[in-house]
């Protein structure tokens, strides 16, 4: 099969250079220190905090566990306002911690929560927190939500799984609200194969998180309600550190692909390129578009089928919305009207990007898209 015929998948990965990684792994074997707060975990915590310009980064097993650990340390009870247009882990982490999700619709343009959408859902005495998601790395109304949550005196948290390297008004994502959580899953811009972290500027919360992530004796011994084995292994930390070394280059390459897509897709009939980056630094890890089918033209699923026939495996995203999937669809919290979310899960799709995707392949994808749409 030649390159022109190679099927192109979404989720082409940014795996770090093999030589660098093997060197780091040799070090692990030499030290015979594979887990339990080894030097690479400590280096990763330090370098993540430095990179994100935040006082503390606490690395953990994955991004879902990062949310769970944070919620547990905060000893929240009651409702948490959260979008339905997100990865299921955002919401299921709440359920693991005995919290009730209150689904909020998203803004049809930003795809994020906003203070205007959240405020009517706040029930004083019942609402324990707001958990926003910076979808596509686009900051989730930090100014509006920080003011709103300060006014109601409820903690503001963000799932920043998409947010490495993104900024809002010169402030890096990782610094907003009381704390933010990141994922270093293989599909994210910073890749530890698996992995995650929690960032905060609160020394007290960081102590609790460091105590909570392990049953092992560590430097942090805060009084916490529960502990969990949520440690990142030295192997994961090694991959994440190599990936961190390459982050700026990967972001620059992502940006070149993003710009190429934008140039080629903007103006195509029946489809809107989601130009989410604006003027703020982003990691450009997501290439998303919305189908706006004219009568007779293919709808989103028809479009994806047609692309598949041309060897391009584009994907829908967050379908059908967390509130329409179990365990929420049949529970009272799932019985809500979220018109913008419903629209987005019907229209949105994600296109391939990542380190191995050449600009010529972006052109091939855009030609196929044009072909199908016209
Ligand atoms: C990937 C992702 C997560 C979960 O992270 P894992 O590391 O896979 O557990 C949570 N929220 C969002 C928005 C994500 O994209």
């Amino acid at each position: 099969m030649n390159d022109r015929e190679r099927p192109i998948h979404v989720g082409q990965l940014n795996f770090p250079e093999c030589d660098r990684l093997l060197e780091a792994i040799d070090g692990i074997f030499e030290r015979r220190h594979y887990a339990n707060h080894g030097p690479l975990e400590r280096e990763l915590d330090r370098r993540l905090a430095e990179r994100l310009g935040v006082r503390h980064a606490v690395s953990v097993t994955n991004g879902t566990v990062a949310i769970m650990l944070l919620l547990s340390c905060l000893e929240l009870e009651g409702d948490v306002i959260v979008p339905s247009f997100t990865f299921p882990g955002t919401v299921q982490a709440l359920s693991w911690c005995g919290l009730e999700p209150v689904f909020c619709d998203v803004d049809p343009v930003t795809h994020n929560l906003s203070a205007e959408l959240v405020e009517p859902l706040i029930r004083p005495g019942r609402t324990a927190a707001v958990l926003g998601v910076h979808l596509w790395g686009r900051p989730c109304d930090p100014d509006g939500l920080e003011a709103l949550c300060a006014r109601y005196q409820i903690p503001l948290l963000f799932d920043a799984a998409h947010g490495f390297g993104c900024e809002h008004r010169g402030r890096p994502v990782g610094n907003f609200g009381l704390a933010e959580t990141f994922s270093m899953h293989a599909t994210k811009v910073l890749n530890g194969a698996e992995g995650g972290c929690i960032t905060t500027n609160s020394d007290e919360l960081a102590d609790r998180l460091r105590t909570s992530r392990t049953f092992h004796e560590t430097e942090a011994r805060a009084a916490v309600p529960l502990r969990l084995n949520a440690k990142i292994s030295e192997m994961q930390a090694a991959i994440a550190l190599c990936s961190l070394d390459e982050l700026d280059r990967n972001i620059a390459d992502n940006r070149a692909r993003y710009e190429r897509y934008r140039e080629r897709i903007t103006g195509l009939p029946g489809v809107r390129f989601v130009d989410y980056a604006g003027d703020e630094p982003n990691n450009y890890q997501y290439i998303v578009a919305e189908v706006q089918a004219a009568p007779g033209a293919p709808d989103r699923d028809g479009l994806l089928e047609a692309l598949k026939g041309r060897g391009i495996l584009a994907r829908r995203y967050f379908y059908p919305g967390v509130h329409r999937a179990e365990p929420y669809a049949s529970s009272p919290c799932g019985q809500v009207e979220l018109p913008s979310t419903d629209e987005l899960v019907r229209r949105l799709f994600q296109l391939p990007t990542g380190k191995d995707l050449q600009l010529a392949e972006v052109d091939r994808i855009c030609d196929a898209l044009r072909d199908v749409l016209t």
Side-chain angles (χ1 to χ4, degrees):
M1 195 185 282
N2 70 31
D3 241 24
R4 259 197 95 72
E5 291 158 339
R6 174 173 82 106
I8 306 177
H9 295 259
V10 167
Q12 309 233 342
L13 311 175
N14 296 323
F15 210 75
E17 296 297 334
C18 206
D19 296 352
R20 303 281 317 275
L21 182 56
L22 292 177
E23 219 174 281
I25 291 173
D26 277 345
I28 298 173
F29 278 79
E30 272 162 34
R31 287 187 295 276
R32 302 174 67 79
H33 193 159
Y34 304 103
N36 292 1
H37 316 298
L40 298 186
E41 181 203 74
R42 273 178 270 135
E43 185 183 343
L44 182 62
D45 281 3
R46 185 179 57 72
R47 285 195 47 208
L48 287 172
E50 185 183 88
R51 165 75 207 207
L52 296 169
V54 64
R55 281 180 71 79
H56 302 281
V58 180
S59 55
V60 293
T61 321
N62 63 56
T64 307
V65 159
I67 305 171
M68 289 167 57
L69 205 68
L70 173 61
L71 297 167
S72 165
C73 280
L74 294 174
E75 299 183 64
L76 302 178
E77 278 174 37
D79 298 344
V80 175
I81 298 172
V82 68
S84 166
F85 191 57
T86 183
F87 182 73
T90 313
V91 183
Q92 297 210 12
L94 299 172
S95 302
W96 276 104
C97 294
L99 292 155
E100 187 72 14
V102 172
F103 290 109
C104 184
D105 209 0
V106 291
D107 180 290
V109 175
T110 67
H111 303 176
N112 280 330
L113 300 188
S114 68
E116 290 70 34
L117 290 164
V118 167
E119 184 162 15
L121 301 179
I122 294 179
R123 289 197 292 158
R126 178 76 202 159
T127 302
V130 174
L131 174 57
V133 180
H134 305 302
L135 222 57
W136 329 131
R138 177 157 54 185
C140 173
D141 190 16
D143 305 321
L145 287 173
E146 280 182 345
L148 181 74
C149 289
R151 190 142 50 79
Y152 284 91
Q153 299 194 323
I154 47 180
L156 172 62
L157 313 172
F158 289 106
D159 175 345
H162 293 187
F164 268 114
C166 303
E167 292 182 14
H168 176 60
R169 294 178 191 253
R171 240 166 111 198
V173 166
N175 282 274
F176 297 102
L178 174 58
E180 307 204 48
T181 63
F182 290 83
S183 168
M184 296 183 276
H185 185 263
T187 53
K188 306 299 201 264
V189 70
L190 180 63
N191 172 10
E194 289 270 8
C197 77
I198 306 133
T199 59
T200 181
N201 285 302
S202 158
D203 296 343
E204 193 206 330
L205 178 57
D207 265 358
R208 288 173 144 250
L209 290 163
R210 292 209 169 89
T211 310
S212 235
R213 75 174 156 182
T214 181
F215 292 101
H216 210 252
E217 291 292 308
T218 57
E219 67 287 353
R221 299 236 207 107
V224 291
L226 273 174
R227 299 170 77 166
L228 179 69
N229 178 9
K231 303 184 302 291
I232 195 165
S233 77
E234 289 291 280
M235 211 65 107
Q236 283 174 278
I239 301 173
L241 281 164
C242 289
S243 185
L244 197 52
D245 289 337
E246 297 179 8
L247 184 62
D248 287 326
R249 203 185 69 210
N250 287 338
I251 289 176
D253 291 350
N254 272 352
R255 180 169 193 166
R257 284 182 291 267
Y258 172 91
E259 301 287 358
R260 185 72 148 244
Y261 268 117
R262 183 171 65 164
E263 210 174 280
R264 300 287 313 265
I265 293 178
T266 304
L268 279 188
V271 68
R272 189 174 80 83
F273 182 72
V274 178
D275 187 356
Y276 57 75
D279 297 329
E280 305 213 284
N282 192 285
N283 57 41
Y284 310 95
Q285 177 76 357
Y286 302 91
I287 308 293
V288 281
E290 288 172 39
V291 172
Q292 296 173 313
D299 62 6
R300 192 266 318 272
D301 294 339
L303 179 71
L304 296 191
E305 263 315 298
L307 287 176
K308 193 169 158 196
R310 289 164 169 78
I312 295 153
L313 308 175
R315 278 208 317 229
R316 55 194 193 181
Y317 224 109
F318 301 143
Y319 184 85
V322 181
H323 73 298
R324 293 195 185 277
E326 293 304 340
Y328 307 108
S330 57
S331 98
C333 72
Q335 315 313 309
V336 283
E337 292 296 320
L338 306 174
S340 299
T341 300
D342 285 344
E343 273 295 300
L344 283 171
V345 299
R346 275 200 313 114
R347 291 178 185 277
L348 199 103
F349 64 101
Q350 185 190 10
L351 286 160
T353 187
K355 203 168 180 169
D356 293 334
L357 192 77
Q358 307 299 315
L359 288 180
E361 289 176 298
V362 172
D363 290 343
R364 181 186 138 197
I365 292 165
C366 294
D367 288 345
L369 202 54
R370 177 184 299 270
D371 225 35
V372 173
L373 288 165
T374 57

